[in-house]
Amino acid sequence: VAALASSGFASSTYGADAALERIAAGLRANDLKSVRYSGEGLGWTFGQAYKPGEAWPKIRVNSWTRTVNYETGAMRDEIVLTRAEALGGGGYPHTGSQRNDQYLYGDFAWNQTAAGPAPGPRFVADRVHALWITPYGVVKSALRNNAKVGTGKVGSTSMTTLTFTEPGRFRAVAYVDGGRVVRVESRIPDPVLGETDVVTTYAGYADFGGFSFPTRITQKQGGYPTLELTVRDVVPNAPADIVLPDAVRTATEKVTVDKVADGVWFIAGGSHNSVAIEMKDYMILVEAPLNDGRAVPVINEVRKLSPGKPI
């Protein structure tokens, strides 16, 4: 994505399959530079099941607005949500609502907070995936990545398929019926679950300013629902001047090390903590959280505590 950002994300049909070019032309994909759509419905907190093997905890999505700039690979999600179940994770309040203001710009992700932008490198993979599997984003990504055009079935209905890989991010098969994307099957990396299957469906297409857009979006991740959204409003080519803050561009992972006892250190500085314990011949590291972006700096700091001892 970093290489793509340097040359722009606008779709290019050079070398694309003729059938794929016809699909893109029918959707006017190259005419849609940005989009903003809003709605409400239900969500589920992926990865936070109260018990192993159960569905993710349900939340109510009171309002949800997504703004996408396809030319810069940028996205903003403005979400207001409340708990729908007493149990389960996600850190959501048991009473009242929570507002989330989430951003992506190329290889950078952050959340806007009262204190300013909070860098969130662990969110990049998920948000890149979310942007490029939108109904128009998936066609643009298919064009850019020379998708293989084929046929497949959803139930008993035969459809055109677009199979491609967004390098380093995800693999996807988009199903096109009547010139519209109705289903995207994708596989994304997850630091806890490993490669995770995602199924996103688009239905109830309607005309918005000359562009066809779904009014019903559903999604499953890891076999359980994560989204049921009713779209109320769509603004094609909406203003989407999303700017990357300098504080996010230049951010580095902060790791603090505090000795709490002989041979025991508390490792903090981020949203998740670790503990290092020195043994006679090796070091123990309790928790290497989130993803490589956090775990590697933590491991490097622990190595400094007793050089030469393996972890």
Side-chain angles (χ1 to χ4, degrees):
V1 170
L4 291 170
S6 65
S7 59
F9 283 88
S11 298
S12 171
T13 57
Y14 180 78
D17 186 287
L20 176 52
E21 288 195 8
R22 288 193 296 271
I23 292 170
L27 286 170
R28 298 179 58 201
N30 288 331
D31 295 332
L32 190 71
K33 310 301 183 184
S34 65
V35 65
R36 182 175 68 243
Y37 52 104
S38 304
E40 74 283 330
L42 294 174
W44 286 261
T45 310
F46 173 67
Q48 295 289 321
Y50 183 66
K51 294 181 180 179
E54 289 187 353
W56 318 124
K58 184 186 295 185
I59 55 178
R60 291 186 180 88
V61 181
N62 305 104
S63 67
W64 186 91
T65 298
R66 171 168 288 173
T67 304
V68 178
N69 187 325
Y70 291 116
E71 296 195 302
T72 60
M75 182 176 71
R76 178 185 184 183
D77 284 347
E78 302 164 86
I79 308 168
V80 178
L81 54 85
T82 54
R83 277 182 180 258
E85 297 176 341
L87 300 177
Y92 302 127
H94 283 274
T95 59
S97 61
Q98 177 172 311
R99 295 177 179 272
N100 295 337
D101 198 359
Q102 305 170 346
Y103 287 83
L104 172 76
Y105 188 103
D107 264 345
F108 298 90
W110 70 99
N111 293 340
Q112 189 64 35
T113 70
R122 68 186 184 274
F123 303 131
V124 172
D126 180 64
R127 293 180 191 177
V128 167
H129 170 259
L131 191 160
W132 294 113
I133 64 162
T134 56
Y136 284 82
V138 75
V139 174
K140 290 174 180 287
S141 187
L143 284 165
R144 189 173 60 244
N145 292 295
N146 297 316
K148 179 181 178 181
V149 180
T151 58
K153 284 189 174 183
V154 176
S156 60
T157 304
S158 294
M159 301 182 186
T160 300
T161 57
L162 311 175
T163 303
F164 66 94
T165 298
E166 185 68 56
R169 295 302 185 188
F170 63 89
R171 301 191 297 275
V173 181
Y175 291 79
V176 182
D177 185 33
R180 297 165 173 169
V181 176
V182 298
R183 181 182 176 96
V184 179
E185 297 174 356
S186 49
R187 175 166 286 186
I188 58 175
D190 182 85
V192 177
L193 298 180
E195 289 196 329
T196 301
D197 290 326
V198 183
V199 178
T200 309
T201 62
Y202 301 111
Y205 273 84
D207 182 85
F208 296 91
F211 292 88
S212 187
F213 206 86
T215 60
R216 179 73 171 168
I217 300 174
T218 63
Q219 188 175 83
K220 289 184 177 182
Q221 294 189 41
Y224 295 105
T226 51
L227 182 67
E228 290 183 3
L229 186 72
T230 299
V231 176
R232 303 293 187 189
D233 184 54
V234 180
V235 182
N237 292 317
D241 187 19
I242 298 169
V243 178
L244 175 63
D246 288 339
V248 175
R249 186 193 302 273
T250 60
T252 57
E253 189 68 32
K254 181 181 179 182
V255 181
T256 61
V257 180
D258 294 313
K259 187 175 182 178
V260 295
D262 288 342
V264 182
W265 295 266
F266 181 61
I267 315 297
S271 60
H272 293 60
N273 303 318
S274 307
V275 173
I277 305 169
E278 184 177 13
M279 308 301 285
K280 178 182 178 182
D281 300 315
Y282 57 89
M283 297 289 291
I284 297 174
L285 175 59
V286 184
E287 296 291 352
L290 298 180
N291 55 15
D292 288 355
R294 175 68 185 174
V296 171
V298 167
I299 289 171
N300 289 339
E301 289 299 317
V302 172
R303 283 178 174 149
K304 296 176 185 177
L305 297 175
S306 188
K309 286 188 178 181
I311 297 174

